[in-house]
Amino acid sequence: MNTGFYIAQQVINAISLGSLYALVAIGLSMVFGILRMTNFAHGDMMMVGAFGTLVLGWLGLPFGLAFLGGIAIGAIAGVIVERTAYRPVRGSADVTLLLTSLAVTYILENLGILVFSSSPRNFPIPDWMNEALQFYDGQITFTQINVATIVLTAVSLGFLGWFVTRTDAGLGMRAAAEDLGAAQLVGLDVNKLIIVAFAIASGFAGLAGILWAAQSGIVEPDMGFTPLLKAFVAAIIGGFGSIAGALLGGYILGALEVFIVAFLPSEVSPYRDAIVFALLIAFLLFRPNGLLNRTQEVKL
Amino acid sequence: MPRLAPPLAPGEETILSVDGLKVNYGAVAAIRGISLDVKAGEVVALLGANGAGKSTMLRTISGLIRPRAGAISFADERIDRLPPARIVRLGIAHSPEGRRVFGSLSVAENLRLGAAARPDRSTMEADREGVYALFPRLRERMGQAAGTLSGGEQQMLALGRALMAKPKLLLLDEPSLGLAPLVIVSIFKTLAELKAQGVTMLLVEQNITTALGLADRAYVLRTGEIALSGAASELRANYEEVAAAYLGARG
């Protein structure tokens, strides 16, 4: 096999996986940026989005609409969680916030089990999405799902980039992430900004969940758990609270996981996750602010 | 010189009145019953040593801290239970201690956010030009991240950001803090221009001489109470009395 093609194939796989991590990590970082809270229920928005698409499909909606509907359901679920669970404890001790988000995770996952049972369900996607695209006599192969993942992530990131640099709400979100008190003093409505942040973060998680389900072919109530852990690592690597950092961390992590399996001896492959979490520990020890975080201690 | 604030008829119209205000930090009393007022077009200075309650007073007026007792009225409306965003909308802009500009945002973006609470944003671009005319240094650096500005430039930006709200009352918390003497002179020259335009200000300062040079009236605070108050001209003439009020030697 041609080495150049092999590397190109692995790079495509890395971008595809990294896109999913980035989509989840960005939301985690956005919410942390404003609220200084790690939202463990963030991964469950993947599950909500994927089940949303599944149910809309059962109801007879064409896949494209069910797809968009799943994203919207994820976004709405995130806003509902913020309003009902997080806002009442806002400003409490870190431990309270942590326990609250863990509680929300348990409630959502058990709700998923109650409604859909704990066994994995088939996630049907249109045939064309499973179609493989082959180049150079099959030496580079990817499916339409890979293409869709990369393109939809790029579109989402383009939207986010426009939002945080060109709109008042986006600028306000960055301002609030940097200095909540000063943001209030210029008259920004912090409650509104937090709702927008949760809607975007959860919509992105919903999108990631649908793509994840489309790639694996199944949906299950705890499907968000592993991606959440990975996104957490990605966000820490990039700098927790920084959107650009989460993006960078997501792609670094995707590349790392793919390359460990692709380029290292096969005996190393089973240790992939161990290496990833060792990296997390290394960052926490030696560079806890991550690669891109500029946030300093804020007094209020 | 651009007009940054809506014209106000200078005179006897009280725009801000604080009545019997008490504020606690936990169990510690930071303000123990202060009454003061600011009239339209006036510059009023709040003087006093560290911990006298000056910043707490401004932060309570802005709605960041809830008072334990007393009332704050702005343009005949009670504001002491309103959230900060509403208070900005009513026309009170606060340039906070330590400047607190958004460091990762550009100068132009910081100014844009200053106008975020305004109902009418049609003149936003013109107002930003007005701020640039007032502080040409900010125009030179408009695309630069605010965190890379010098301390003096950041203070100009904090002031400009507050002016973008077109405030009826400007709260200034230690605009001279940590700046070189020449920069302080330049900042206070700009504040004097704003005063000449009719901008109403409540100014917190540690530097007595500089503050009394700008203000019409002043209150000297000591451990959360008013120790002395009067016209700036009188207080300038009785410097010893002001210094004594600072230190608590006076009744």
Side-chain angles (χ1 to χ4, degrees):
Chain A
M1 192 193 281
N2 185 313
T3 318
F5 288 142
Y6 184 69
I7 294 174
Q9 174 77 61
Q10 298 311 325
V11 168
I12 290 166
N13 294 347
I15 294 174
S16 178
L17 182 63
S19 294
L20 289 178
Y21 289 157
L23 278 178
V24 184
I26 282 171
L28 207 56
S29 234
M30 249 165 68
V31 166
F32 181 82
I34 300 184
L35 289 180
R36 304 283 162 221
M37 177 190 99
T38 306
N39 178 17
F40 281 105
H42 188 60
D44 298 311
M45 298 308 144
M46 293 180 71
M47 178 265 287
V48 172
F51 272 119
T53 298
L54 187 72
V55 170
L56 292 177
W58 288 346
L59 294 176
L61 256 65
F63 186 73
L65 284 181
F67 193 103
L68 292 176
I71 297 173
I73 288 171
I76 293 166
V79 171
I80 291 174
V81 166
E82 193 279 322
R83 280 307 310 256
T84 55
Y86 297 155
R87 190 174 299 183
V89 295
R90 197 186 295 165
S92 308
D94 289 352
V95 173
T96 309
L97 302 178
L98 194 81
L99 289 177
T100 305
S101 84
L102 279 176
V104 172
T105 302
Y106 276 101
I107 291 169
L108 285 176
E109 283 181 20
N110 284 292
L111 214 59
I113 291 170
L114 207 65
V115 178
F116 298 99
S117 93
S118 59
S119 50
R121 274 172 193 273
N122 219 4
F123 190 76
I125 55 172
D127 289 338
W128 64 266
M129 286 191 92
N130 274 320
E131 205 175 283
L133 301 172
Q134 304 201 329
F135 297 93
Y136 304 103
D137 300 325
Q139 296 198 74
I140 297 182
T141 305
F142 45 95
T143 62
Q144 296 278 18
I145 297 174
N146 290 123
V147 179
T149 301
I150 294 171
V151 170
L152 288 172
T153 304
V155 169
S156 307
L157 295 177
F159 161 76
L160 185 65
W162 168 80
F163 177 77
V164 299
T165 56
R166 295 279 176 270
T167 69
D168 273 355
L171 286 176
M173 244 170 59
R174 285 163 65 202
E178 198 177 308
D179 187 339
L180 201 59
Q184 287 179 299
L185 282 184
V186 300
L188 292 167
D189 186 336
V190 172
N191 279 335
K192 226 182 267 174
L193 292 177
I194 289 172
I195 287 176
V196 173
F198 266 88
I200 294 178
S202 308
F204 275 28
L207 170 63
I210 299 165
L211 292 169
W212 192 278
Q215 288 193 8
S216 63
I218 54 166
V219 273
E220 49 190 332
D222 66 349
M223 63 178 280
F225 181 72
T226 307
L228 177 81
L229 284 185
K230 298 295 175 63
F232 190 66
V233 177
I236 298 272
I237 291 175
F240 215 16
S242 152
I243 290 174
L247 177 64
L248 181 69
Y251 283 105
I252 288 177
L253 190 65
L256 192 72
E257 292 198 350
V258 168
F259 294 164
I260 286 172
V261 175
F263 298 123
L264 295 180
S266 58
E267 302 85 73
V268 181
S269 299
Y271 297 102
R272 189 190 68 178
D273 285 357
I275 294 173
V276 165
F277 290 114
L279 184 75
L280 169 68
I281 292 170
F283 261 90
L284 288 174
L285 281 177
F286 300 112
R287 206 178 159 87
N289 283 333
L291 295 171
L292 293 185
N293 202 342
R294 279 172 298 195
T295 314
Q296 57 268 34
E297 280 300 306
V298 169
K299 165 197 150 186
L300 186 74
Chain B
M1 177 55 60
R3 288 205 77 95
L4 287 156
L8 279 170
E12 297 304 298
E13 184 204 347
T14 297
I15 189 164
L16 177 81
S17 97
V18 174
D19 188 24
L21 195 73
K22 293 182 181 173
V23 181
N24 273 30
Y25 282 122
V28 184
I31 293 181
R32 319 155 179 257
I34 288 186
S35 300
L36 57 80
D37 58 79
V38 179
K39 296 182 178 61
E42 228 183 4
V43 174
V44 174
L46 286 182
L47 305 173
N50 268 332
K54 311 182 299 289
S55 292
T56 305
M57 177 59 91
L58 294 195
R59 290 153 58 84
T60 310
I61 294 170
S62 284
L64 288 178
I65 308 172
R66 291 269 164 266
R68 195 165 63 86
I72 305 173
S73 304
F74 178 68
D76 297 326
E77 186 177 343
R78 278 287 289 270
I79 60 166
D80 45 86
R81 299 286 148 187
L82 297 181
R86 280 287 308 282
I87 293 173
V88 178
R89 269 186 185 82
L90 287 174
I92 300 182
H94 185 157
S95 171
E97 182 180 10
R99 307 183 276 270
R100 307 272 289 266
V101 296
F102 302 116
S104 66
L105 272 58
S106 73
V107 168
E109 287 170 338
N110 268 277
L111 292 178
R112 178 174 165 179
L113 282 180
R118 263 164 51 181
D120 170 30
R121 319 235 353 237
S122 56
T123 60
M124 214 262 295
E125 279 307 318
D127 296 330
R128 192 148 63 180
E129 280 307 309
V131 170
Y132 289 148
L134 204 57
F135 302 111
R137 290 291 282 281
L138 294 183
R139 187 200 301 278
E140 290 165 28
R141 307 200 184 289
M142 62 180 163
Q144 209 169 307
T148 65
L149 301 181
S150 72
E153 289 162 350
Q154 288 190 10
Q155 185 57 59
M156 294 174 196
L157 181 56
L159 261 172
R161 186 178 65 183
L163 289 171
M164 287 298 287
K166 283 203 172 180
K168 298 190 182 83
L169 170 66
L170 191 53
L171 306 179
L172 298 173
D173 200 343
E174 300 226 31
S176 71
L177 189 74
L179 300 183
L182 274 178
V183 181
I184 296 175
V185 169
S186 140
I187 294 275
F188 271 81
K189 220 180 121 213
T190 310
L191 292 179
E193 288 172 24
L194 290 172
K195 179 186 175 185
Q197 287 178 36
V199 178
T200 312
M201 295 179 233
L202 181 57
L203 166 74
V204 158
E205 254 304 331
Q206 294 250 20
N207 188 325
I208 307 174
T209 323
T210 315
L212 290 179
L214 178 73
D216 300 305
R217 287 189 300 123
Y219 296 88
V220 181
L221 268 52
R222 181 161 42 81
T223 57
E225 286 168 316
I226 293 175
L228 182 67
S229 67
S233 53
E234 289 168 29
L235 296 174
R236 272 198 301 270
N238 297 300
Y239 190 86
E240 292 78 14
E241 205 183 350
V242 175
Y246 255 71
L247 300 171
R250 189 177 176 278

